[in-house]
């Protein structure tokens, strides 16, 4: 992956995607794999929007079944399975437990019925999935087992527990990046820090966009036959620019990453307001989510105030009183602005179903908008978008293969076997801990990073005593993964700062390596270090 803007202005593309979150990247990958000429622009870094801030869970159909949406439940099961097939090293089963009670909707009988329906809808949930990742059906567990898992947080009203399994994504940002890499492998031209400004419209047809390079303020025009709006929280202004009247509001959704160690099982409990909160293990810490605002949010509303943090912590403590969580134990607040719909009483809730909108119905040709609602289903939504693009181009696309083709980095049988292979090949160059960390993050990409270590012994050193990844991941990310800022490295290309500020020592080492790779002067480096610190601030 290299950032070369001259390739974007050379010829008209079949498809131009605005937004490099999971939906935009999956559209770019799918369209490129099916043989279209593809470009994608992302105004920040790839996967830095909601696709960074989610709760790291690939959901099956249970939630959709609660609202009786069988189609959505089936779609989720299929897409959860697709992720396990295409990126087996990036997902891991995670058990979730919540109390059953004497109320009708949370009773053992209700949960048994739900699990049965889920098992039927997900009958093929494990087809083509490697044994380690096969998911058991949900079940009801006795009260004693529930109490043993929840201990001090156990509800006195619990009659037992509902126990189900979904996938978790330990390195979710590397997974998002793998979609970008896959798109590039198939010839797509991607650029981060390139912001779409406005559409180029001629005689009722969108013929591309004008975009500004956020790294040097130059403006370019990119021509395309079909432009796809996958701008996440900024989706609505682009829909309006393409002639539609978007009718849905937005909500701010948040998770808390804490410094508390987590147990092996995710625990769910309702808050005093009735919202289900989940405590999940992630990077060894408790991640708690998801909470959302009660009132509509604006697209750029991605700050978190002390007040918002305090009321979220109160909400967590109302669901898990024995936790007694304190705001100073929060190492990072995930936040994203996501599409919403009013329920029957007019109360805003998260939008349940994605939307793919062809702007032909608004009298505009050459534009499609995608409103995504879950990371889990991003690949499947992209498949629908590319089918539509094929029809619009009058060149029907060959069948989609992104649901069965391994993503870059995933081309091996098992993580253990690949780690053993790496040990036998580079065991003298890198420590066992560095090898393990590298395979977990880069998959088969470990070899290219190890090659870099051979050119300079310092690059084989771990980033810090507590961070086993070799220093070479930094120049590697600059050269091959389009990392442009220090935050790209610390927050997304590596897991160093994914769960909270990793400490000055780590930031300084990464900063020095990045300054060398990008020839930054001391003032630029100082600005970059400050930007990393700001990233974790609650205002
Ligand atoms: C707190 C929280 C928890 C969640 N938990 C889960 C979960 O556990 N499981 C799950 O499946 N889903 C979850 N979700 C939902 C999921 O994160 C989103 O549905 C998904 O990431 C949206 O992807 P996207 O590509 O549509 O949007 P984004 O990831 O926001 O990507 C849109 C991109 O467009 C870019 N962009 C905007 N305007 C422009 C422009 N003018 N030019 C260029 N680029 C532009 C933005 O910078 C952004 O990177 C959660 C969401 C939140 C906020």
């Amino acid at each position: 992956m290299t950032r070369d803007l001259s390739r974007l202005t050379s010829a008209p593309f079949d498809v131009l995607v605005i937004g490099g979150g999971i939906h935009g990247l999956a559209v770019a990958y799918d369209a490129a794999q099916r043989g279209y000429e593809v470009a994608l622009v992302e105004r920040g870094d790839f996967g830095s929007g909601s696709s960074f801030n989610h709760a790291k869970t690939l959901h099956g159909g249970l939630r959709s079944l609660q609202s009786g949406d069988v189609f959505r439940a089936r779609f989720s099961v299929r897409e959860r399975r697709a992720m396990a097939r295409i990126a087996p090293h990036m997902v891991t089963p995670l058990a979730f437990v919540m109390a059953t009670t004497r109320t009708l909707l949370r009773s053992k009988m209700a949960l048994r019925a739900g699990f049965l329906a889920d098992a039927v809808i997900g009958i093929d949930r494990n087809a083509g999935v490697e044994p380690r990742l096969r998911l058991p059906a949900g079940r009801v567990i006795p009260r004693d087992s529930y109490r043993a898992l929840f201990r001090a947080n156990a509800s006195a009203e619990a009659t037992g527990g509902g126990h189900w399994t979904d996938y978790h994504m330990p390195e979710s940002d590397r997974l998002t990046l793998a979609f970008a890499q896959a798109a590039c492998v198939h010839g797509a031209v991607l650029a981060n820090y390139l912001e779409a400004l406005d559409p180029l419209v001629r005689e009722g047809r969108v013929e591309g966009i004008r975009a500004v390079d956020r790294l040097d303020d130059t403006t370019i025009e990119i021509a395309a036959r079909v432009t796809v709006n996958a701008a996440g929280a900024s989706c609505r202004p682009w829909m309006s620019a393409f002639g539609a009247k978007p009718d849905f509001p937005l909500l701010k959704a948040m998770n808390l990453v804490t410094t508390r160690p987590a147990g092996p099982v995710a625990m769910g409990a309702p808050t005093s307001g009735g919202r289900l909160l989940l405590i999940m293990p992630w990077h060894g810490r408790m991640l708690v989510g998801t909470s959302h605002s009660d009132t509509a949010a604006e697209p750029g509303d991605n700050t978190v105030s002390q007040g918002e943090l305090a009321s979220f912590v109160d909400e967590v403590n109302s669901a898990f009183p024995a936790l007694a969580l304190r705001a100073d134990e929060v190492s990072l607040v995930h936040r994203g602005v996501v599409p919403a719909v009013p329920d029957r009483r007019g109360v805003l809730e998260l939008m349940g179903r994605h939307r793919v909108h062809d702007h032909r119905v608004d009298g505009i040709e050459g534009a499609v908008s995608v409103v995504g609602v879950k990371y889990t289903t991003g690949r499947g939504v992209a498949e629908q978008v590319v089918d539509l693009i094929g029809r619009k181009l009058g060149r029907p696309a060959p069948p989609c293969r992104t649901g069965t083709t391994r993503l870059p980095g995933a081309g091996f049988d098992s993580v253990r076997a690949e780690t053993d292979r790496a040990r036998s090949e580079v065991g003298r160059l890198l420590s066992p801990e560095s090898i393990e960390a590298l395979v977990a993050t880069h998959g088969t990409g470990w070899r290219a990073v190890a090659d870099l270590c051979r050119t300079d012994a310092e690059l084989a050193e771990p980033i810090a005593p507590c961070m086993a990844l070799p220093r070479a991941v930094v120049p590697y990310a600059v050269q091959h993964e389009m990392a442009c800022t220090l935050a790209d490295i610390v927050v997304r290309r590596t897991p160093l700062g994914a769960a909270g500020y990793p400490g000055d020592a780590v930031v300084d080492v990464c900063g020095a390596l990045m300054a060398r790779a990008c020839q930054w002067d001391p003032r630029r480096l100082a600005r970059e270090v400050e930007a990393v610190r700001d990233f974790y601030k609650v205002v």
Side-chain angles (χ1 to χ4, degrees):
M1 283 171 71
T2 45
R3 191 174 185 274
D4 179 359
L5 300 199
S6 66
R7 290 176 65 205
L8 286 169
T9 48
S10 47
F13 290 89
D14 294 323
V15 185
L16 166 62
V17 184
I18 302 170
I22 189 63
H23 288 92
L25 292 171
V27 168
Y29 168 35
D30 190 333
Q33 196 191 48
R34 294 204 231 180
Y36 297 122
E37 299 283 334
V38 180
L40 179 144
V41 301
E42 162 55 51
R43 72 174 168 201
D45 188 23
F46 303 120
S48 58
S50 290
S51 300
F52 170 80
N53 290 289
H54 59 75
K56 323 299 170 199
T57 311
L58 295 170
H59 301 287
L62 271 175
R63 282 178 188 218
S64 312
L65 280 174
Q66 272 175 340
S67 52
D69 192 338
V70 175
F71 166 83
R72 189 153 56 100
R74 177 74 195 140
F75 189 43
S76 296
V77 168
R78 208 189 71 175
E79 291 309 316
R80 183 185 60 183
R81 181 185 67 189
M83 288 296 215
R85 285 176 173 176
I86 66 177
H89 67 307
M90 291 277 168
V91 305
T92 169
L94 177 64
F96 291 75
V97 179
M98 67 178 215
T100 51
T101 64
R102 293 196 189 284
T103 58
L104 185 63
L105 286 177
R106 300 270 306 280
S107 65
K108 285 185 173 176
M109 201 174 71
L111 259 85
R112 276 200 190 101
F115 288 147
L116 181 64
D118 188 43
V120 172
I121 283 167
I123 188 85
D124 54 358
R125 65 188 176 279
N126 292 320
V129 171
E130 66 178 59
R132 181 182 64 89
L133 298 180
R134 290 190 188 145
L135 300 178
R139 65 197 158 93
V140 168
I141 58 172
R143 191 162 178 261
D144 288 351
S145 311
Y146 159 79
R147 292 190 76 84
L149 288 167
F150 272 59
R151 297 179 190 210
N153 280 302
S155 158
E157 287 145 36
T159 55
H163 182 293
W164 72 98
T165 317
D166 272 324
Y167 292 126
H168 216 45
M169 296 171 274
E171 305 299 344
S172 52
D173 303 304
R174 299 282 319 172
L175 179 56
T176 306
L177 184 73
F179 278 87
Q181 291 168 323
C184 291
V185 166
H186 289 277
V189 183
L190 273 54
N192 51 2
Y193 298 99
L194 185 63
E195 178 169 2
L197 292 176
D198 37 44
L200 305 171
V201 186
R202 192 174 308 147
E203 293 168 8
R205 167 172 280 281
V206 175
E207 296 190 339
I209 57 155
R210 207 165 56 87
V212 61
D213 184 351
R214 286 291 167 216
L215 301 181
D216 69 4
D217 281 341
T218 53
T219 303
I220 60 171
E221 289 191 354
I222 308 169
R225 296 177 183 92
V226 177
T227 299
V228 178
N229 160 22
S234 300
C235 187
R236 286 185 317 178
W238 282 96
M239 291 182 81
S240 304
F242 295 156
K245 291 194 180 76
D247 59 352
F248 57 91
L250 301 167
L251 283 178
K252 190 187 323 188
M254 295 188 287
N255 304 316
L256 301 179
V257 188
T258 73
T259 51
R260 291 265 185 109
V265 168
M267 301 190 294
T271 63
S272 52
R275 188 176 288 164
L276 180 72
L277 279 186
L278 292 158
I279 294 184
M280 293 158 272
W282 190 62
H283 284 245
R285 299 172 176 206
M286 280 185 183
L287 184 157
V288 195
T290 294
S291 170
H292 62 73
S293 57
D294 297 322
T295 50
E298 288 305 312
D301 190 7
N302 55 5
T303 55
V304 182
S305 68
Q306 296 287 355
E308 284 172 315
L309 175 60
S311 61
F312 193 175
V313 169
D314 286 348
E315 212 180 8
V316 174
N317 288 331
S318 82
F320 303 95
L323 205 60
L325 186 70
R326 298 187 317 271
D328 64 6
E329 294 175 288
V330 173
S331 55
L332 177 65
V333 183
H334 285 139
R335 64 272 195 171
V337 176
V338 290
V341 282
D343 70 6
R344 274 189 232 107
R345 296 160 299 155
V347 177
L348 292 185
E349 58 179 32
L350 301 177
M351 188 185 281
R353 276 197 182 202
H354 69 273
R355 298 182 186 178
V356 176
H357 184 88
D358 183 347
H359 289 277
R360 174 179 285 180
V361 299
D362 308 308
I364 295 280
E365 258 307 342
V368 172
S369 286
V370 47
V371 184
V373 295
K374 275 212 267 181
Y375 187 98
T376 309
T377 46
R379 189 221 65 89
V381 173
E383 183 175 339
Q384 295 172 8
V385 172
V386 179
D387 287 344
L388 171 63
I389 290 171
R391 293 195 293 277
K392 290 183 76 62
L393 288 171
R395 270 195 286 146
C400 169
R401 289 183 294 115
T402 59
T404 47
T405 312
R406 293 272 180 114
L407 286 169
F412 51 78
D413 291 338
S414 80
V415 175
R416 183 173 295 175
E418 190 65 14
T419 309
D420 288 346
R421 188 172 304 127
R423 275 204 195 105
S424 71
E425 285 184 35
V426 294
R428 290 209 185 132
L429 190 65
L430 295 171
S431 70
E433 294 77 22
S434 292
I435 290 173
E436 206 170 302
L438 193 53
V439 174
T441 52
H442 290 61
T444 53
W446 65 263
R447 202 172 262 113
V449 177
D451 284 347
L452 214 51
C453 294
R454 289 198 184 88
T455 65
D456 179 349
E458 193 211 321
L459 296 179
E461 295 291 315
I463 286 181
C466 56
M467 296 284 176
L469 272 179
R471 294 178 181 207
V473 295
V474 177
Y476 180 78
V478 172
Q479 289 164 24
H480 302 288
E481 296 177 343
M482 242 188 262
C484 301
T485 71
L486 186 55
D488 296 347
I489 298 280
V490 173
V491 182
R492 287 171 294 274
R493 298 299 181 281
T494 69
L496 299 169
Y501 185 65
D504 290 349
V506 168
V507 173
D508 287 349
V509 168
C510 292
L513 290 161
M514 188 93 186
R516 186 152 40 120
C518 302
Q519 282 142 27
W520 288 344
D521 62 25
R523 279 175 49 197
R524 169 77 192 265
L525 176 57
R527 279 205 309 274
E528 294 283 335
V529 169
E530 211 41 49
V532 170
R533 293 201 181 115
D534 283 351
F535 177 80
Y536 298 95
K537 276 188 188 146
V538 172
V539 291

